Amino acid sequence: MFIKTKIAGVEFNSYVLNASGPNDSTLEELEIIAKSGSAAIMMKSCTVEPRKGNPEPRYVRLPLGSIQSMGLPNKGYQEYIKFAPQLKKFNKPIIASVAGLCTDDYVKMVEAFQKSDVNLIEVNLSCPNLEAKPQVAYDFEQTEEVLSRISGLGKKPLGLKLPPYFEFAHFQQIAELIRKYKVSFISCINSVGNTLIIDPETETPVIKPKKGFGGLCGDYIKPIALASVRAFYELLKDKVSIMGVGGVKSGTDAFEFLLAGADAVQIATTFEKEGASCFERINKELEELLKRKGYASVQEAKGKLKYL
Ligand code: RRO
């Protein structure tokens, strides 16, 4: 079986791609992703101006994942617009990720990427690691303001990178905005923000920024990510493509996201740990699992979670 899927009408030739996050901010890093089994080339979230990011240590591997507070280190959106034509030769979808520091920033960057060579635009409303800048998607009014200003700026499909939600009322409110502004895809979830890991030996947090508060990733957050994918699948089914993110390190993990309703999965922590070979490995494991279970395609299993 050869896995194919579609995100917002754009064809992906595997179920697995990199998440906006580690090792995707320079052209060299993006070329490594381009040459790997990743279904697409996802770029690091960018800002209007280049940023160095937060002080180190800012990324720490943990037994079951990672905690980080990178603080949006990136080259500024204009560089990523220049990278796109150089990545086209790899013949896979290119996805920009934009993270504004205010609403005007989102408008400026979406406008520019609409005229660029990228195929999809992921709008990151959920960076948890900026001092004194709460995650946009926890403020439904600001989320609507951003959406009202960025929809209609061009024809390239727009998606939202969402934070974890823990209440059905919140899933419903965001789903309403997604419907109203015709968002084409969602990526859920971003890291679980403002968590704290303490090293009892040193009696300190393990990362420096924000007094140790950072985004939790990996196995720890998989059940939260699965719940988000499932909740949005039930609310939005055929109206939006869903990419699951959070704790995917095997084909079995990817299959769980597929049952919940994901059209693809994105990988961050496992990519950082294992390198770019993880995409092909996980996609192959998923293919073998689907075959063993008698599914002829990804589509046959999508959303088919059975209830007790
Ligand atoms: O760069 C980061 O600190 C970062 C971002 Br933009 C994000 O969206 N999520 C995250 O966990 N870290």
Side-chain angles (χ1 to χ4, degrees):
M1 186 201 323
F2 182 64
I3 291 187
K4 276 197 166 148
T5 186
K6 268 188 189 176
I7 299 295
V10 175
E11 280 204 13
F12 282 31
N13 67 6
S14 98
Y15 192 72
V16 183
L17 66 148
N18 72 301
S20 187
N23 303 330
D24 56 0
S25 55
T26 67
L27 184 59
E28 293 70 32
E29 288 171 332
L30 292 164
E31 282 176 346
I32 290 171
I33 294 164
K35 290 175 191 161
S36 77
S38 178
I41 309 164
M42 172 73 85
M43 295 170 164
K44 172 68 183 168
S45 291
C46 62
T47 46
V48 170
E49 299 298 332
R51 288 172 59 89
K52 286 201 165 69
N54 289 338
E56 300 196 3
R58 61 189 188 181
Y59 189 107
V60 170
R61 291 180 187 166
L62 301 171
L64 297 174
S66 59
I67 186 172
Q68 48 71 35
S69 179
M70 302 303 289
L72 263 167
N74 77 93
K75 292 176 170 295
Y77 78 108
Q78 282 162 330
E79 281 299 295
Y80 297 100
I81 285 176
K82 282 189 217 151
F83 289 168
Q86 303 182 63
L87 295 167
K88 268 183 97 169
K89 61 175 179 268
F90 295 100
N91 284 325
K92 49 174 83 168
I94 304 168
I95 313 175
S97 174
V98 300
L101 302 181
C102 62
T103 304
D104 285 347
D105 286 1
Y106 283 105
V107 176
K108 186 182 237 175
M109 291 190 284
V110 169
E111 220 163 23
F113 277 111
Q114 281 290 2
K115 295 181 196 133
S116 77
D117 281 326
V118 306
N119 303 92
L120 298 165
I121 304 170
E122 186 181 85
V123 180
N124 184 351
L125 299 182
S126 49
C127 175
N129 296 332
L130 299 175
E131 203 105 35
K133 288 249 179 266
Q135 293 163 78
V136 176
Y138 284 144
D139 177 339
F140 297 112
E141 270 177 33
Q142 202 196 342
T143 298
E144 175 147 24
E145 189 196 323
V146 171
L147 284 174
S148 69
R149 292 193 52 203
I150 61 173
S151 63
L153 291 176
K155 291 210 156 54
K156 294 188 201 294
L158 291 182
L160 300 183
K161 176 84 170 263
L162 295 172
Y165 296 104
F166 299 94
E167 278 298 340
F168 282 101
H170 296 160
F171 290 126
Q172 280 161 358
Q173 274 173 278
I174 286 290
E176 245 170 62
L177 293 176
I178 287 167
R179 262 191 234 110
K180 182 170 174 185
Y181 292 98
K182 298 192 169 48
V183 171
S184 302
F185 68 94
I186 55 175
S187 305
C188 46
I189 56 173
N190 209 319
S191 61
V192 174
N194 298 310
T195 64
L196 180 62
I197 301 284
I198 292 175
D199 181 340
E201 283 303 314
T202 57
E203 305 179 12
T204 66
V206 297
I207 56 170
K208 184 177 172 77
K210 286 178 74 177
K211 294 183 173 170
F213 282 61
L216 191 66
C217 308
D219 291 8
Y220 302 105
I221 72 166
K222 192 178 83 174
I224 304 169
L226 282 170
S228 262
V229 167
R230 187 63 187 173
F232 284 119
Y233 180 75
E234 289 194 331
L235 288 163
L236 295 164
K237 239 163 234 171
D238 303 319
K239 295 189 177 61
V240 68
S241 304
I242 301 176
M243 292 196 265
V245 205
V248 178
K249 55 187 188 327
S250 69
T252 306
D253 295 324
F255 181 63
E256 292 169 17
F257 277 92
L258 176 61
L259 289 176
D263 296 279
V265 290
Q266 302 177 1
I267 320 274
T269 299
T270 295
F271 174 35
E272 193 282 328
K273 194 170 166 198
E274 184 178 324
S277 59
C278 70
F279 305 115
E280 196 178 334
R281 175 183 63 76
I282 293 168
N283 196 59
K284 249 196 202 132
E285 287 172 5
L286 175 62
E287 246 174 32
E288 276 158 22
L289 182 55
L290 287 174
K291 227 183 271 169
R292 183 161 60 74
K293 283 177 160 280
Y295 289 106
S297 69
V298 156
Q299 285 67 33
E300 241 182 67
K302 194 180 96 178
K304 300 285 167 56
L305 182 64
K306 296 169 189 161
Y307 290 114
L308 298 176

